[in-house]
Every structure is written in C-alpha cells, then in structure tokens.
Amino acid sequence: MSFPWAKNYEPQQPLMKWLDEKLPLPRLVYNAVGAGYPVPRNLNYFWNFGVLAGAALAIQIVTGIVLAMHYAANAGVAFNSVEHIMRDVNAGWFIRYAHMNGASMFFIVVYLHIFRGLYYGSYKAPREMVWLLGVVIFLLMMATAFMGYVLPWGQMSFWGAQVITGFFSAIPMVGEPIRQWLLGGFAPDNAALNRFFSLHYLLPFVIAGVIILHIWALHIPGSSNPTGIEVKDEQDTVPFHPYYTAKDGFGLGVFLFVFAALTFFTPNLLGHADNYIAANPLSTPAHIVPEWYFWPFYAILRAFTFNFLWIDAKLWGVIAMFAAIALLFFLPWLDSSPVKSSTYRPLNRIFFWILVVDVLILGYCGKSPAEQPYVILSQLGSIYYFAHFLIILPIISRIERPLPMPNSITEAVLAKHADDKSAATA
Amino acid sequence: MASESELSAVVEDGVRRRDFINIAAVSFAGVGAVAVVLPLVNQMNPSADVLALSSTEIDISAIGTGQAIKTSWRKQPVFVRNLTAAEIAEAKKVPLSDLRDPQTIDERTKPGKENWLITLGVCTHLGCVPLGAAEGENRGDFGGYFCPCHGSHYDTAARIRKGPAPTNLVVPPYEFTSDTVVTIG
C-alpha cells in the first residue's frame, strides 16, 4: 500500500528486532507516519489540518476523561457539578475551558480540512473513500458536540436538546414515538441527560476508529497535493518523517498558540451566557442559538417557513438540513472534472469562493434571530448552497476548460522555483 | 453412518444434512440476536416512573379575563388562558380555509367554557415554550402566542397562523372538576 521506493523498516537493536517478529507495531508506525510513507514534496500548510484534527481529538479525549471524574450526569445536580468543577476542583476551570474551546478548535481545523479537500479536489478518484469516511467523521463529531453541549444542563443545553430532538418529531407518523424513545421521556430530563453522557463518552472512540479507517484509505493511493497531479516517481516525494513531521510540528505550535489564547484570555467568547443559567423547562431563552459550528445548518433548517408540496415546513427544514450534509457523500460523483486542483480550474475557483461566502452568510443568518432580513437571506443562501452542488458543479465540470497543467509534481515545483529566481534577478 | 442408498438420495435432491444443520444453527442464532436486541432497544423508551401519568389539578379562580397562567404537566409547560369576548370573536371570525391546521375554537375548548383555552406550552415546531402567557410578553401578529425560537405565530385559539410550526398548540386531555378547578391528564 505504498510506493515501491518507500523506505523499508529495518530494526537495528536486538530488542526492536524481537518486537518486530512478535508484534510489528513500530513497523506500522514507521510505514504510516514515519520515513516509510512517501508524501508529495509540494504540500502546503493546508495539509496540516488532518494532523491538527487528530491532535484536537486527543486533547478532547484527555480533558474529557478528566472532566468525567468530577461531573455528575443527573438532572438534579449536573449544573452544580459543572460549577463545582469551575470553582472547587483543582485546575478544574482550566480543564473545562480547555474542553469547551477544544471543541471549537476541533471544528475550526476540521472546517479548514474540508475547505482544503474542496478546493484541491481531494475527494476525487482515487480518494473517494477517504472523503466518504471524512463525512462520517464529521457527522459523528456533530453528534458528539451536540450531546456534550447538553451535559452542563444550562438553559442552552436544555433547549438545544429540546430543539434538536424535536427534529425527529418532524418524521410523519412515527416521529413523536421516535423522539420519546430518544429522550426516554416527553421532554429532556434525567433519562436523556444520562444517555447523552454515556454516548458522549463513547462516540470520540468511535471517531478515533473511523479516523484509522480514514488514514488507511488515504495511504492506499497516498496523499493528494496542491497540483492535484498524482505522484509519478521517487523525485515527486519526500519521506513523511522528518519532512512533514517537522512541518506538522510547526503547525501544531501555531494551533496550540491560538488554542491557549482562546482558553486563557477569552474562554467564553464562543459560548452563550444563557448556559450559565440552570435549565428551566418552563422558560425558553429569548434567543436560542446553537454553537457557532452549527450556524450554517441551523440557517438552512429555519429557511423553510412555508408548506410546500404536501410536506409541512417543519419536515422540509429538517430534510434540507440533513440533505445539506448528506449531499457531501455524493460530491465525488457530482463533480466529474478529471482535474482535481482548483489552481487549474478557473471557473470552479470562482464558484468555490462564492460557495465559501454563501456558507459564511448562512452562518451569520443561523446566529441571528428568526426575523427579516435574515429569513429571506437564509432562504436565498440555502437555495444557492444546493444549487452549487446539484446544478453549478455538474455543469462547470463539463464545460470548463482547465488551464495548462505541468506534467509532474517535480516539474510544477521546479517551474515555480525558476519563476522565483527570474523574479529575483529581474 | 448413512448407507450407500441414503447418500445417493441426498445428492439427487442437492440438499445435504449439513445444509440443514447450517441453516438451523444460523437461524437459531438470529432469533437469539433479535431476542437480545429487543430489550436493548426498548430500554431507551420512557421508563415506568416517567410514564406514570400524573394528573395535575389547577385552580383557575384567580385568572381574570384576558389573563393567562403557565403551569406544568408531565414536566411540560401548560398554558391556561381566560379569553376575552373580543378574542373569542376574533377566533370565530377566521374562515377555516385560512388555517394550516383547521379547527374551530369550539373544538379546542369545552362546551360552555369556551373562554378557557388550555393548551400545552410547547411549540409544535421544535418544542420551545412560546411567549404570550405572561403579562407584557410578545403575543405575535395574531394576538395569541409567539414562539421566539423560529418565529411561529399562534392566534387567540392557539392555532398556527404563520411560521414553521405544522400544527396548532396541543390541547391536553382535561376536564372541569368544578367551576374553578381543572384536572389535566
């Protein structure tokens, strides 16, 4: 599952030789993220975000396990146990703030990772399976983040749980029984809190498992690169270690810098003040907003304010929201252009950036109250989102004339090098 | 040991004794798996204590005309509203064809007590508590209730008029035990 010129693992020490015969774990690591994995020589910093997402997951698991030692998943005491962590537990405030902001950092790097995949066409053959597994990870992350947000049992936790489980009641006939089955009651209460805690603890390990599949599927064709041209021979690649361990190490430093700044200086910047009020089933906060990473999808959910084609507005909203993510599963087949990188796709590049702006607008609408002009803006934004994937992308991938491409990664790198030199001498 | 003739008979059918054993064993394991999955799925349903339908008694004598109170039944909010004559007239004026979930105010109240509008305070969209039960809260464009989460407007009979909610606010099962006491549930 690697290029023929990949370096072979040859243990020198007797102990390592012995281990290699019994359990070749060091060999696995060497071939996965060591010198035994040849990687295109031209990766830019956008290729850091996979490793950073892995680091973010590790941080969440470590801080989460520690928090679980002090947290009590009971509707009567959950809110107070979080305050106990914040005030009484040694360094508890730090661990909780790290976990809170760690979730945001995880989504930031994953969104940039998805951005990279979209711009450089990483989802295309032969890496469709990598993309599909990535969308699965994204869905699992959303479920995990949602259930984690319920655990402090504040006002936003409670009403978030009410609204999100309300999605399921939109399903005709069986919706309400499904919702009661999910909640274990008629409204979010102790049963729901307990099971959310159980699943919130479980899902990160499921994510870790799917990440292993994601990397396994990636290592069969090898990593993509900014030109989108496949590796042709040995001079197109460098060993992962030390070249990209060093580059990822630098990126990790920048990531931790931002993470620390958030955690220590503005720990509640991305949270909501309402969640420091204990859950009250009789009073909805004036303005329910999900966490920032759900805003674009929340805007799509709210975009349907009218019944249409015998299906009521509520069900349409829920269908549209899930479809917005499910659509990503079909992306490798919606975009039929053989050219991967948008560097060589002038038309796709323009529409890609319009999509980015569209998602940002949807995000802004998702954050805003359900009033004009945000309702009409989210409607237009949602229409464009679906049009991009279902109409625009299939059309441009057929009519677009790509720019001339270099023959190999090495040629692209050397041409750039020559440009830089001539610019310097000129 | 099967005799020579028995073996040849089996081969003619194309079915061996081992095929039967395989199918029987796998089927039995399948039945066992389903038997184990059922309780694992069913444990997620509301437990007996949650299901225990507690009925709530409400004293409505203190609710003046035009006022409303918020109470709780099965851990869900309930609105009890004493409608004014103008509000009842307004609800009666609306043609049923204008309604998303057509119901008259008579169908939503008890005969002779049509000024008492008793509904769950749970928006039928995604379950928020609509505003309008307390003094000074936004009652929306139709003078009933307004859900701030996603902008659903309910009229004076708590019927959906505008916004994403699919149906009217739910009228729970209740009866008047006396002129001033209502039992919900």
Side-chain angles (χ1 to χ4, degrees):
Chain A
M1 67 179 226
S2 187
F3 300 114
W5 57 86
K7 283 188 193 152
N8 197 24
Y9 177 66
E10 278 157 13
Q12 300 300 319
Q13 290 166 316
L15 178 67
M16 297 306 275
K17 278 184 183 163
W18 180 86
L19 184 61
D20 193 45
E21 284 168 11
K22 317 297 182 227
L23 179 73
L25 194 61
R27 177 181 292 275
L28 182 74
V29 172
Y30 183 91
N31 288 333
V33 290
Y37 180 51
V39 186
R41 62 193 280 185
N42 60 335
L43 301 191
N44 61 32
Y45 277 109
F46 275 112
W47 265 258
N48 273 12
F49 291 99
V51 164
L52 295 183
L57 177 67
I59 291 170
Q60 289 307 87
I61 289 180
V62 170
T63 52
I65 288 172
V66 174
L67 286 173
M69 295 176 186
H70 303 281
Y71 169 78
N74 179 295
V77 293
F79 184 83
N80 289 339
S81 79
V82 172
E83 285 309 303
H84 157 76
I85 290 169
M86 294 301 289
R87 295 155 195 245
D88 303 336
V89 174
N90 300 311
W93 62 271
F94 165 63
I95 295 157
R96 173 163 180 263
Y97 276 156
H99 196 71
M100 260 169 75
N101 288 291
S104 283
M105 291 302 291
F106 196 179
F107 274 96
I108 290 170
V109 295
V110 161
Y111 278 129
L112 287 166
H113 193 57
I114 295 172
F115 172 94
R116 192 286 316 272
L118 288 172
Y119 185 83
Y120 291 109
S122 306
Y123 50 84
K124 291 189 186 186
R127 296 183 188 79
E128 307 97 310
M129 186 52 79
V130 185
W131 175 260
L132 298 181
L133 289 165
V135 180
V136 170
I137 294 170
F138 182 47
L139 284 170
L140 286 169
M141 277 176 66
M142 292 172 117
T144 310
F146 156 65
M147 288 191 273
Y149 195 59
V150 174
L151 301 184
W153 211 238
Q155 272 290 66
M156 282 291 178
S157 300
F158 181 90
W159 291 99
Q162 175 83 306
V163 168
I164 305 271
T165 56
F167 293 168
F168 293 91
S169 67
I171 303 167
M173 315 295 284
V174 293
E176 197 50 42
I178 288 180
R179 178 166 181 271
Q180 286 172 15
W181 177 76
L182 287 169
L183 286 174
F186 304 99
D189 203 3
N190 208 29
L193 180 61
N194 257 302
R195 64 188 57 175
F196 283 7
F197 180 56
S198 171
L199 294 173
H200 183 71
Y201 207 121
L202 165 72
L203 286 184
F205 298 98
V206 177
I207 292 175
V210 183
I211 286 175
I212 289 172
L213 300 182
H214 187 65
I215 297 172
W216 186 6
L218 170 70
H219 283 205
I220 290 168
S223 299
S224 174
N225 71 85
T227 65
I229 301 163
E230 293 299 321
V231 167
K232 293 208 167 79
D233 57 44
E234 189 172 358
Q235 59 175 345
D236 288 344
T237 66
V238 290
F240 189 86
H241 179 76
Y243 291 93
Y244 289 112
T245 41
K247 191 161 183 156
D248 286 336
F250 177 76
L252 185 62
V254 175
F255 168 86
L256 291 174
F257 183 83
V258 177
F259 182 31
L262 262 181
T263 304
F264 291 110
F265 296 122
T266 60
N268 290 306
L269 177 71
L270 301 170
H272 301 286
D274 277 303
N275 220 29
Y276 287 103
I277 303 168
N280 177 0
L282 294 186
S283 161
T284 309
H287 182 38
I288 294 191
V289 201
E291 290 287 83
W292 68 268
Y293 35 81
F294 293 135
W295 287 346
F297 302 105
Y298 196 59
I300 294 175
L301 168 80
R302 296 193 302 184
F304 279 92
T305 51
F306 47 88
N307 295 353
F308 178 61
L309 289 179
W310 309 285
I311 297 182
D312 63 47
K314 173 175 164 180
L315 185 55
W316 269 119
V318 173
I319 291 172
M321 190 189 63
F322 282 108
I325 302 163
L327 201 54
L328 297 176
F329 281 114
F330 299 95
L331 181 59
W333 297 277
L334 289 169
D335 179 1
S336 61
S337 169
V339 178
K340 293 192 188 82
S341 172
S342 291
T343 311
Y344 304 107
R345 299 185 62 187
L347 210 50
N348 185 59
R349 195 161 60 207
I350 295 168
F351 285 100
F352 170 79
W353 283 110
I354 297 177
L355 178 72
V356 171
V357 172
D358 182 58
V359 171
L360 293 176
I361 291 173
L362 280 174
Y364 188 78
C365 293
K367 160 189 189 273
S368 307
E371 311 166 339
Q372 297 297 1
Y374 306 113
V375 176
I376 184 77
L377 261 181
S378 9
Q379 287 168 343
L380 294 174
S382 305
I383 290 171
Y384 187 82
Y385 181 91
F386 285 99
H388 175 88
F389 288 105
L390 294 173
I391 302 168
I392 297 171
L393 199 56
I395 291 176
I396 57 175
S397 61
R398 280 171 179 80
I399 65 166
E400 182 178 50
R401 176 188 278 264
L403 300 176
M405 293 174 65
N407 289 313
S408 70
I409 293 172
T410 303
E411 195 184 295
V413 172
L414 294 181
K416 189 164 173 272
H417 205 62
D419 281 355
D420 292 349
K421 262 194 184 153
S422 61
T425 49
Chain B
M1 281 294 287
S3 72
E4 200 63 29
S5 62
E6 267 176 327
L7 269 179
S8 61
V10 162
V11 170
E12 271 166 31
D13 290 3
V15 180
R16 295 172 303 146
R17 287 161 61 105
R18 182 146 299 175
D19 291 335
F20 173 78
I21 293 169
N22 276 344
I23 292 167
V26 171
S27 311
F28 198 71
V31 170
V34 170
V36 172
V37 164
L38 277 178
L40 285 176
V41 170
N42 195 29
Q43 55 82 23
M44 295 269 285
N45 276 315
S47 54
D49 57 330
V50 173
L51 277 179
L53 248 180
S54 63
S55 53
T56 308
E57 282 206 344
I58 309 164
D59 181 1
I60 56 171
S61 57
I63 309 170
T65 307
Q67 287 186 329
I69 60 156
K70 222 191 265 186
T71 174
S72 166
W73 170 65
R74 286 209 307 206
K75 300 225 171 186
Q76 291 176 293
V78 173
F79 294 158
V80 181
R81 184 150 160 183
N82 191 350
L83 297 173
T84 62
E87 285 172 333
I88 297 170
E90 201 184 315
K92 286 195 164 163
K93 208 171 61 189
V94 185
L96 283 187
S97 54
D98 279 10
L99 296 173
R100 185 178 296 171
D101 181 10
Q103 262 185 324
T104 63
I105 189 165
D106 297 331
E107 288 171 306
R108 296 176 59 73
T109 52
K110 299 284 180 200
K113 303 271 188 193
E114 64 181 12
N115 59 320
W116 291 107
L117 179 68
I118 301 179
T119 60
L120 289 188
V122 179
C123 179
T124 56
H125 180 225
L126 293 172
C128 297
V129 180
L131 301 175
E135 204 71 43
E137 281 181 353
N138 186 353
R139 288 187 161 180
D141 294 354
F142 299 90
Y145 300 105
F146 169 68
C147 182
C149 294
H150 306 96
S152 289
H153 299 255
Y154 296 90
D155 68 8
T156 51
R159 296 174 297 196
I160 180 64
R161 297 297 291 276
K162 189 175 146 192
T167 55
N168 304 333
L169 288 187
V170 174
V171 177
Y174 69 89
E175 55 189 19
F176 282 87
T177 33
S178 76
D179 271 358
T180 56
V181 177
V182 177
T183 307
I184 302 178

